[in-house]
Amino acid sequence: MNKFYGTGVAIITPFQTDGQVDYEALGKLINHLIDGGVEYIVSLGTTGESATLSSDERKQVWEFTSKSVNGRVGLIAGLGGNNTHELVEQIKQFDTTGYDAILSASPHYNKPTQEGIYQHYKAIAAVSPLPIILYNVPSRTGSNISADTTVRLAHDFKNIIGIKEASGNFDQLNQIARDKPEDFLLISGDDPISLPMIALGGVGVISVVGNALPRRMSDMIRTCLAGDFKSAQKGHSDLIDFTRLMFIEGSPAGVKTALKQLGICGDTVRLPLVQVSSGIADKIIAETKKLS
């Protein structure tokens, strides 16, 4: 499990101005992340705009990403949905070549009970050829995976190896950290609280900010994991304004603006997302210049 300690990046999907996937830019971004010292990459999570890619596009992006990474760092596929039966079939058919785990967000929109969430992940665990990392992001899904449900899943299924926690609820995080199996991975799903989560027992972050600033993020996270929180505090503080700008008008529009400034890819997003406003773009560009 050590390959999931440290900094993972929920990689964006670059698009050409006509909206088609920009594979040249995707390859450039993958190298940027690996050169920046990240430990692993998450392909087609929320940040990758997976909801607006077709089934064929997702397969092509996963295949391209696997070939481009070529085993240089860990690789996770984002596979989630609110139709459990359909998701089970997708996982059965998924080409695992080059992939080390699956990140699966809790079902959105349906607002299942905790028992429904448990049964959803039980069904996935029964068929998955890869280890599973839960993803709790109530701000997007409309429901929360409670600490009790997380701990229950962690104890009941050996192939459910961790959780990307983005609830921001430290009472919940405290309970998970206390009650989980020792080897169950508690991963920050929210850039701004990665430092305190590691102090609590977390093993790192799956980051959005790391798309643009992988070296700064990965160095800060490794310093935290070494227990030197005093040194890590400066890196954490340096990223506060940049991180806020990444999300102020939606993700991944913010980080795509930074990546455009860095010359890695364009800032095109697919509807219903739109590019950030000119005023926010100017602020992102200024922060990117300061930090890069």
Side-chain angles (χ1 to χ4, degrees):
M1 302 310 161
N2 286 343
K3 69 175 58 181
F4 304 131
Y5 279 60
T7 301
V9 172
I11 192 171
I12 62 106
T13 301
F15 297 120
Q16 299 171 7
T17 53
D18 64 0
Q20 298 302 304
V21 176
D22 187 340
Y23 287 100
E24 182 180 353
L26 180 55
K28 189 174 182 179
L29 176 57
I30 288 167
N31 289 330
H32 169 68
L33 300 182
I34 295 173
D35 292 344
V38 308
E39 278 73 31
Y40 61 98
I41 288 169
V42 178
S43 177
L44 294 185
T46 306
T47 308
E49 297 178 71
S50 54
T52 54
L53 269 66
S54 69
S55 176
D56 285 343
E57 285 176 323
R58 289 195 293 271
K59 289 177 182 178
Q60 290 163 12
V61 168
W62 278 321
E63 181 181 2
F64 179 90
T65 301
S66 173
K67 288 179 178 178
S68 296
V69 170
N70 194 28
R72 290 180 289 167
V73 295
L75 186 57
I76 297 175
L79 273 162
N82 63 347
N83 180 335
T84 306
H85 176 76
E86 182 180 51
L87 179 57
V88 163
E89 292 305 311
Q90 288 175 359
I91 290 173
K92 286 179 179 178
Q93 296 168 23
F94 178 68
D95 182 358
T96 62
T97 304
Y99 285 86
D100 302 294
I102 288 170
L103 177 70
S104 194
S106 180
H108 62 277
Y109 189 73
N110 308 60
K111 289 193 173 181
T113 63
Q114 292 304 305
E115 185 61 27
I117 291 171
Y118 177 89
Q119 293 296 333
H120 172 84
Y121 282 116
K122 179 181 178 180
I124 293 171
V127 301
S128 179
L130 294 174
I132 297 164
I133 298 173
L134 314 173
Y135 182 15
N136 186 36
V137 56
S139 64
R140 288 186 179 273
T141 63
S143 64
N144 177 57
I145 308 176
S146 72
D148 287 340
T149 300
T150 296
V151 171
R152 183 185 174 197
L153 287 164
H155 282 286
D156 287 356
F157 303 102
K158 294 299 183 184
N159 62 338
I160 295 180
I161 63 168
I163 185 167
K164 177 185 177 184
E165 245 293 348
S167 68
N169 182 337
F170 270 83
D171 183 54
Q172 180 162 299
L173 297 172
N174 282 330
Q175 185 179 340
I176 295 170
R178 182 192 67 187
D179 297 341
K180 70 179 183 65
E182 185 177 356
D183 60 353
F184 184 80
L185 307 176
L186 179 58
I187 301 168
S188 172
D190 199 4
D191 281 298
I193 62 171
S194 299
L195 185 151
M197 274 192 67
I198 292 172
L200 186 65
V203 299
V205 63
I206 295 176
S207 173
V208 173
V209 168
N211 277 280
L213 303 174
R215 179 63 63 187
R216 280 184 173 270
M217 179 58 70
S218 59
D219 283 352
M220 188 270 287
I221 294 296
R222 277 191 289 272
T223 304
C224 288
L225 289 172
D228 187 359
F229 290 99
K230 184 174 182 180
S231 297
Q233 179 64 46
K234 183 181 186 305
H236 171 82
S237 297
D238 287 346
L239 289 170
I240 288 174
D241 289 340
F242 183 84
T243 301
R244 185 181 298 117
L245 287 166
M246 292 303 95
F247 300 99
I248 196 167
E249 287 188 354
S251 178
V255 78
K256 282 190 170 183
T257 302
L259 287 166
K260 182 178 181 180
Q261 170 61 29
L262 292 168
I264 293 169
C265 67
D267 61 353
T268 301
V269 290
R270 283 187 175 176
L271 288 170
L273 300 183
V274 294
Q275 294 159 315
V276 299
S277 63
S278 59
I280 294 300
D282 289 344
K283 292 179 181 179
I284 291 172
I285 290 167
E287 277 296 305
T288 305
K289 287 179 178 177
K290 183 170 78 173
L291 295 173
S292 60

